[in-house]
Amino acid sequence: LFLFRGLNEIGLMRPASFDKEFELLAEQMVSFGNTWIYTTELYHKEYTEMYIEKQVETMLAMFYPYLTEKGIKEFKATIPHWF
């Protein structure tokens, strides 16, 4: 939640629409972060640099619906090959 407050303060992330919105986002991000490694093992994928980068980008994508116009601009600059 500290990260979300910081992103909001610098104008990259919009304010929460309801009290628990960012708490739920944090839980989703933690769940993804906790599961992608064992999912990789379960499906016998290789831990290549490209695969790990994809997982990082997938987690970053969770921010996208919550970004301001300024945040979207920064996001597009961070992952330009998506756009």
Side-chain angles (χ1 to χ4, degrees):
L1 300 176
F2 174 80
L3 173 63
F4 304 150
R5 278 192 294 275
L7 291 173
N8 179 262
E9 288 173 6
I10 61 173
L12 296 177
M13 197 168 174
R14 66 166 173 77
S17 298
F18 57 93
D19 287 343
K20 299 280 186 183
E21 184 175 27
F22 291 151
E23 187 176 318
L24 295 171
L25 174 59
E27 288 179 19
Q28 291 172 17
M29 295 180 85
V30 168
S31 292
F32 177 80
N34 288 342
T35 59
W36 77 267
I37 295 173
Y38 70 75
T39 298
T40 302
E41 290 293 323
L42 183 64
Y43 294 106
H44 304 288
K45 295 181 181 178
E46 292 184 42
Y47 288 100
T48 64
E49 184 176 340
M50 183 182 291
Y51 179 76
I52 293 169
E53 186 68 28
K54 181 181 179 210
Q55 300 312 305
V56 169
E57 291 175 356
T58 299
M59 185 175 286
L60 286 175
M62 292 180 191
F63 283 104
Y64 196 85
Y66 306 95
L67 299 177
T68 61
E69 286 186 34
K70 179 181 175 183
I72 289 171
K73 184 178 177 183
E74 291 291 324
F75 187 92
K76 288 180 176 181
T78 303
I79 309 176
H81 60 273
W82 281 17
F83 301 93

